[in-house]
């Protein structure tokens, strides 16, 4: 254990090392220099992210066409007496400058997309524990992986809500959505990765091979190496998703076995997004919110296809049986599986206004303390201080996943 920690710290130091002044004279190898972009507009884009809180300008942006360009950059930086900061950037949906490299070099991973889709046709090995998987370039976004795998009747198992995020970006965090209680976060559904370490080495890693790197990189906030390829676990894809929204304002203790479970808290702070609901229901829900100041809803999804369609209604009844909710505030919708997975597809356009900052906070809370969060945070801080304009989501997660 102690060895692992020492290893991680050493790796982090190599990638993070200190910054270098923009005046520094670089004697860059010609091949590398050709791929560094110092155009003002490119630098300005690379200095921001979705959070719009930090604006940290890099010295240059690397536009790689080969994986080896990234090793060349790291090797070059390590050859300097004062190496510069390097940060990999996927879709830049970070909220606090995590993909920025002040005075250093941002590696624009999305540049690989110009050289083909780098999503391999899914493989299934029926004789091994591995099952089905796809090999994917880390610059690819999850929606594209979904579309490709659906062509083969397969799908990744673990998701984020919004899926226009890069594979490398979410695997550097966790990747949590309403499926996590069954399959774990996205980082628990990766069989193997190719990584370029802080020493510039190209390493293939898995639970069994170079496992220290595998575990450090997954959820490693981009500090332990650059993921260039990930092997993602796939399972059979359903065709449809039945969404149930159950509005409730009391605690429930049941165990839910569904394909997706998510909770949301709506506070009496306009504007409230009720776009899921029919217009005729929106008014009723609004008055419920006004009367109660805050309401809780649970979203449960059950997937189905032709073979399970006949008993989907029965299954859903079974799932909601015993839940404490207001029967007249139960809403249901059927979507194709792809429509459901991509339900937040338009969010980027909504939230990328240059004047908006988007601070987000994620916390893992033990279930024994969730009522304290409800009292202390939702009621006594947010509601009491009239803090508006935020969304509060809760995902149940099983510790063993
Ligand atoms: C609208 C929205 C909805 C979201 N919903 C969810 C959700 O439901 N569940 C959830 O878990 N998260 C969610 N997130 C958070 C999201 O998972 C992270 O912000 C994720 O990092 C975004 O991926 P990205 O491609 O934008 O990464 P970036 O912001 O580009 O990078 C994030 C971090 O990963 C590093 N990184 C990027 N690519 C690589 C790579 N190839 N190798 C190594 N490190 C790399 C970067 O250096 C940086 O530290 C959401 C974010 C937004 C903006």
């Amino acid at each position: 254990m102690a060895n692992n920690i020492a290893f991680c710290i050493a790796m982090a130091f190599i990638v993070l090392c200190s910054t270098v002044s923009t005046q520094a004279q670089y004697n860059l190898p010609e091949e590398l220099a050709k791929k560094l972009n110092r155009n003002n507009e490119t630098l300005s884009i690379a200095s921001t992210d979705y959070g719009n809180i930090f604006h940290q300008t890099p010295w240059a942006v690397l536009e790689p066409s080969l994986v080896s360009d990234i090793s060349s950059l790291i090797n070059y930086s390590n050859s300097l007496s004062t190496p510069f900061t390097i940060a990999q950037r996927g879709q830049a949906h970070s909220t606090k400058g995590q993909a920025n490299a002040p005075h250093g070099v941002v590696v624009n991973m999305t540049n690989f997309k110009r050289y083909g889709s780098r999503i391999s046709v899914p493989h299934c090995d029926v004789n091994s524990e591995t099952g089905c998987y796809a090999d994917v370039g880390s610059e690819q976004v999850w929606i594209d992986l979904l579309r490709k795998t659906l062509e083969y009747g397969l799908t990744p198992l673990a998701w984020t809500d919004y899926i226009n995020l890069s594979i490398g970006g979410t695997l550097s965090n966790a990747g949590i959505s309403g499926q996590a209680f069954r399959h774990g976060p996205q980082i628990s559904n990766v069989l193997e990765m190719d990584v370029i370490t802080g020493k510039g080495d190209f390493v293939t890693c898995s639970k069994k091979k170079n496992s220290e790197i595998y575990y450090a990189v997954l959820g490693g906030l981009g500090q332990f190496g650059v993921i260039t390829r990930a092997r993602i676990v796939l399972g059979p894809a359903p065709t449809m998703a039945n969404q149930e929204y159950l509005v409730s304002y009391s605690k429930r203790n049941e165990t839910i076995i569904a394909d997706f479970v998510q909770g949301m808290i709506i506070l009496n702070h306009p504007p409230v997004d009720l776009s899921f609901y029919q217009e005729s229901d929106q008014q009723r829900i609004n008055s419920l919110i006004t009367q109660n100041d805050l309401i809780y809803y649970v979203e449960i999804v059950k997937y189905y296809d032709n073979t399970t369609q006949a008993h989907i209604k029965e299954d859903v009844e079974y799932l909601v049986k015993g839940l404490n909710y207001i029967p007249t505030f139960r809403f249901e919708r059927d979507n194709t599986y792809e429509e459901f997975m991509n339900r937040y597809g338009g969010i980027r356009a909504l939230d990328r206004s240059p004047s908006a900052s988007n601070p987000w906070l994620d916390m893992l809370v033990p279930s024994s303390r969730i009522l304290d969060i409800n009292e202390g945070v939702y009621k006594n801080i947010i509601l009491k201080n009239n803090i508006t304009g935020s969304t509060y989501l809760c995902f149940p997660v099983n510790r063993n996943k």
Side-chain angles (χ1 to χ4, degrees), residues 50 87-94 98-99 109 138 160-162 165-166 168-170 172-177 221-222 225-227 347 360 395:
Y50 173 87
Q88 326 63 296
R89 176 183 164 103
Q91 292 294 308
H93 275 74
S94 296
Q98 289 91 335
M109 299 301 291
S138 67
T160 49
D161 270 9
Y162 175 65
L165 302 169
S166 76
T170 70
S172 299
N173 284 271
I176 291 183
S177 186
L221 304 173
V226 183
I227 306 165
I347 202 168
W360 285 28
F395 301 106

Side-chain angles (χ1 to χ4, degrees), residues 60-359:
V61 173
L62 176 72
E63 293 179 338
S65 56
L66 302 168
V67 165
S68 58
D69 294 336
I70 302 171
S71 338
S72 303
L73 178 77
I74 296 174
N75 286 333
Y76 175 72
S77 173
N78 287 342
S79 73
L80 302 173
S81 54
T82 312
F84 45 75
T85 305
I86 297 171
Q88 326 63 296
R89 176 183 164 103
Q91 292 294 308
H93 275 74
S94 296
T95 52
K96 230 176 156 191
Q98 289 91 335
N100 290 171
H103 310 300
V105 177
V106 167
V107 181
N108 176 14
M109 299 301 291
T110 62
N111 202 56
F112 282 115
K113 289 181 134 201
R114 294 169 55 191
Y115 302 89
S117 95
R118 299 220 309 147
I119 301 178
S120 76
V121 169
H123 306 268
C124 290
D125 186 349
V126 281
N127 297 318
S128 96
E129 275 175 28
T130 313
C132 299
Y133 62 81
D135 280 313
V136 192
S138 67
E139 73 287 354
Q140 300 296 316
V141 289
W142 287 91
I143 175 67
D144 290 340
L145 175 60
L146 174 67
R147 289 186 176 135
K148 182 76 180 174
T149 55
L150 283 180
E151 290 172 19
Y152 299 85
L154 294 166
T155 176
L157 304 175
W159 292 95
T160 49
D161 270 9
Y162 175 65
I163 60 174
N164 242 307
L165 302 169
S166 76
I167 308 278
T170 70
L171 295 187
S172 299
N173 284 271
I176 291 183
S177 186
Q179 299 87 353
F181 78 107
R182 286 192 69 164
H183 301 291
Q186 288 176 332
I187 55 171
S188 300
N189 290 273
V190 180
L191 297 171
E192 186 183 280
M193 287 178 294
D194 289 337
V195 170
I196 300 174
T197 69
K199 289 182 181 166
D201 297 333
F202 180 91
V203 173
T204 299
C205 60
S206 66
K207 282 182 190 167
K208 294 196 175 140
K209 194 174 171 188
N210 297 311
S211 59
E212 301 94 333
I213 295 181
Y214 173 84
Y215 287 113
V217 165
L218 289 172
L221 304 173
Q223 301 303 298
F224 297 95
V226 183
I227 306 165
T228 58
R229 173 191 64 98
R231 179 166 288 181
I232 309 287
V233 177
L234 304 176
T239 50
M240 298 292 292
N242 176 279
Q243 273 173 281
E244 297 278 326
Y245 276 47
L246 309 172
V247 176
S248 161
Y249 44 80
S250 65
K251 186 190 170 215
R252 54 174 299 279
N253 286 314
E254 308 275 324
T255 304
I256 303 168
I257 303 165
D259 291 303
F260 174 104
V261 180
Q262 176 176 314
M264 189 159 177
I265 289 133
I266 303 182
L267 298 165
N268 187 14
H269 289 157
V272 175
D273 177 15
L274 297 176
S275 51
F276 173 86
Y277 306 95
Q278 308 255 346
E279 257 176 50
S280 53
D281 292 323
Q282 292 186 5
Q283 209 174 348
R284 289 194 309 129
I285 297 171
N286 264 322
S287 47
L288 188 74
I289 299 169
T290 317
Q291 283 161 30
N292 291 280
D293 269 345
L294 89 171
I295 62 168
Y296 309 90
Y297 75 67
V298 178
E299 181 183 358
I300 298 177
V301 178
K302 189 75 192 142
Y303 303 150
Y304 66 98
D305 55 25
N306 287 344
T307 57
T308 47
Q309 184 163 16
H311 48 87
I312 180 71
K313 294 278 169 213
E314 230 173 88
D315 290 354
V316 168
E317 286 316 314
Y318 175 78
L319 286 172
V320 302
K321 200 170 137 205
L323 293 184
N324 187 357
Y325 65 97
I326 314 166
T328 49
F329 282 84
R330 171 177 168 179
F331 307 92
E332 182 176 318
R333 187 157 80 184
D334 285 278
N335 288 115
T336 66
Y337 177 67
E338 185 178 335
E339 280 166 353
F340 167 67
M341 291 313 309
N342 198 24
R343 63 202 176 283
Y344 295 115
I347 202 168
R348 185 181 178 140
L350 282 179
D351 289 338
R352 278 278 179 148
S353 116
S355 59
S357 65
N358 295 300

Side-chain angles (χ1 to χ4, degrees), residues 268-271 382 385-390 392:
N268 187 14
H269 289 157
I382 295 165
N385 295 294
N386 213 19
I387 298 171
T388 58
S390 294
Y392 306 95

